[in-house]
Amino acid sequence: MRDSMSRTSRLRLMLVLLVSLVGCDQASKQYAVTHWENQPRQSYLNDVFRIEYAENRGAFLSLFGNLEPAVRYAILVVGNGVLLVALAVAIHWLPMDRWNFLAWAMVFAGGIGNLIDRIRINAVIDFLNLGIGPLRTGIFNVADMAITAGFVMLLPQIFRGDIQEPEAASVPAATTPGTPS
């Protein structure tokens, strides 16, 4: 894969994504706290879209939410922090095209948005829910949408695979008798 972005371009785009995505995430969470905390669930579009305030002490779908606070902090704050630092280094230094850079940068920005909540209130503020009838998503936020969008952008690469088959050695084709060579 060809490195199609300079380090300076990567840094600039990463800063734009961080400011815009993390800013939007944090502003929407502040709005949720101000307007929806301790309020009943709101339903729109025939219950396809719900606004439902929640503070998730765990990870995806409350995973690790029942652990002791110190263990949960070690995994969800310290562990995520270390992974996000490693991801930032990889995003900045590993060769990748613009599409992959954007995908990983969205995952990173979403991770930072949720990490801010974990450090600030020891939970992540969620407030959006989609579904039809009993088939529903978990409650999520803007940072979760950025993380999910980034991973969805990476799916074609995962299924396509970046492993290229070695080219076959140039072997002259056998000729059939009576055909010109």
Side-chain angles (χ1 to χ4, degrees):
M1 189 177 325
R2 192 170 59 84
D3 183 7
S4 61
M5 296 181 69
S6 71
R7 304 270 181 255
T8 304
S9 295
R10 285 184 184 205
L11 185 58
R12 284 182 185 146
L13 183 54
M14 178 62 83
L15 288 174
V16 167
L17 283 170
L18 277 172
V19 168
S20 58
L21 287 174
V22 173
C24 184
D25 175 63
Q26 291 298 303
S28 66
K29 288 173 179 174
Q30 183 58 48
Y31 186 89
V33 169
T34 303
H35 294 88
W36 299 319
E37 185 177 24
N38 300 317
Q39 297 298 313
R41 172 178 54 210
Q42 299 173 35
S43 177
Y44 300 95
L45 300 173
N46 218 11
D47 203 35
V48 169
F49 178 73
R50 291 180 184 169
I51 295 175
E52 184 173 358
Y53 182 88
E55 291 182 5
N56 183 358
R57 302 233 176 266
F60 178 73
L61 298 176
S62 298
L63 183 67
F64 305 128
N66 292 328
L67 294 177
E68 292 181 34
V71 175
R72 192 173 59 234
Y73 185 88
I75 293 170
L76 298 178
V77 175
V78 177
N80 277 343
V82 168
L83 287 174
L84 288 170
V85 167
L87 181 57
V89 169
I91 289 169
H92 187 70
W93 291 103
L94 293 180
M96 63 181 74
D97 60 24
R98 288 179 193 269
W99 183 262
N100 286 320
F101 173 82
L102 183 59
W104 284 115
M106 289 176 68
V107 170
F108 177 75
I112 293 293
N114 282 339
L115 186 61
I116 289 169
D117 284 11
R118 291 189 191 290
I119 291 169
R120 199 171 52 81
I121 64 166
N122 200 29
V124 172
I125 296 169
D126 292 327
F127 52 90
L128 301 169
N129 181 266
L130 299 173
I132 299 173
L135 184 61
R136 305 209 63 86
T137 65
I139 303 173
F140 59 94
N141 58 46
V142 173
D144 297 334
M145 290 190 287
I147 293 166
T148 302
F151 278 122
V152 167
M153 290 171 66
L154 293 168
L155 284 177
Q157 174 183 321
I158 292 167
F159 288 115
R160 179 183 69 235
D162 278 342
I163 301 170
Q164 304 225 347
E165 295 295 324
E167 291 184 22
S170 295
V171 178
T175 57
T176 315
T179 59
S181 20

